[in-house]
């Protein structure tokens, strides 16, 4: 028998809000069944939620995560899905390297500007030897 989860159980397990889970549901990523007013999530929904959150930690957009998750088919070879994920990981890594380089450049420019400002202050402050 397949395990089922309530929205509160998933929220607690993944340390997210129930609103976040409802958001993913609104976006069509999770498809719980209903028992009266209660949402009942399947093991598949739990796995999708885990993958969505992993994608988020990796810097993937919700659409990027959706595309990769939707490629999964247990009846066939999932190499294309894995290759797409690898490609996205490499894209994110390159973007972060560029951002890191930009940050390092900006830090150097800030250091240089601060040094010039401090030097200008020192040059304009009258020395104690002058009358």
């Amino acid at each position: 028998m397949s395990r089922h989860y309530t929205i509160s159980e998933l929220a607690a397990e993944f340390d997210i809000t129930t609103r976040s889970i409802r958001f993913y549901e609104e976006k069509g990523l999770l498809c719980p069944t209903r028992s009266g007013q209660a949402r009942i999530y399947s093991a598949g929904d739990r796995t999708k939620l885990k993958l969505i959150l992993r994608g988020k930690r990796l810097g993937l957009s919700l659409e990027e995560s959706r595309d990769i998750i939707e490629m999964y088919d247990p009846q066939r070879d999932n190499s294309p899905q894995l290759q797409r994920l690898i490609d996205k990981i490499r894209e994110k890594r390159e973007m972060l390297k560029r951002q890191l380089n930009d940050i390092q450049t900006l830090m150097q420019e800030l250091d240089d500007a601060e040094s010039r400002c401090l030097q200008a202050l020192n040059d304009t402050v009258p020395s104690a030897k002058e009358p």
Side-chain angles (χ1 to χ4, degrees):
M1 184 169 133
S2 182
R3 173 93 201 273
H4 293 89
Y5 305 86
T6 66
I7 194 168
S8 298
E9 288 173 330
L10 290 178
E13 179 180 352
F14 292 107
D15 195 26
I16 59 174
T17 64
T18 56
R19 177 70 193 109
S20 294
I21 296 172
R22 286 190 298 273
F23 174 78
Y24 298 135
E25 182 182 341
E26 289 167 14
K27 294 296 182 181
L29 291 162
L30 303 175
C31 301
T33 58
R34 296 277 185 164
S35 176
Q37 291 294 323
R39 291 169 166 87
I40 307 298
Y41 295 88
S42 68
D45 287 322
R46 181 188 170 279
T47 300
K48 285 181 184 179
L49 181 58
K50 185 176 183 177
L51 294 173
I52 291 164
L53 297 173
R54 182 177 296 152
K56 186 176 176 182
R57 283 192 311 275
L58 292 174
L60 300 180
S61 71
L62 202 49
E63 281 304 311
E64 290 169 326
S65 289
R66 176 198 310 270
D67 291 344
I68 292 168
I69 290 167
E70 288 179 353
M71 291 178 76
Y72 178 72
D73 181 353
Q75 304 303 319
R76 65 182 174 93
D77 174 28
N78 285 299
S79 296
Q81 179 194 35
L82 295 172
Q83 188 58 54
R84 172 91 47 95
L85 181 56
I86 290 168
D87 292 344
K88 288 295 176 184
I89 288 169
R90 289 176 178 166
E91 281 177 30
K92 295 298 174 184
R93 183 180 291 120
E94 288 306 312
M95 180 189 73
L96 288 171
K97 285 179 182 178
R98 286 190 303 273
Q99 288 176 336
L100 181 58
N101 185 49
D102 290 346
I103 289 169
Q104 290 169 334
T105 299
L106 180 56
M107 291 295 289
Q108 184 60 53
E109 289 174 4
L110 289 170
D111 289 345
D112 293 346
E114 182 181 36
S115 292
R116 287 191 303 275
C117 289
L118 289 170
Q119 185 59 49
L121 274 176
N122 286 335
D123 292 346
T124 59
V125 173
S127 89
K129 296 178 183 176
E130 294 180 15

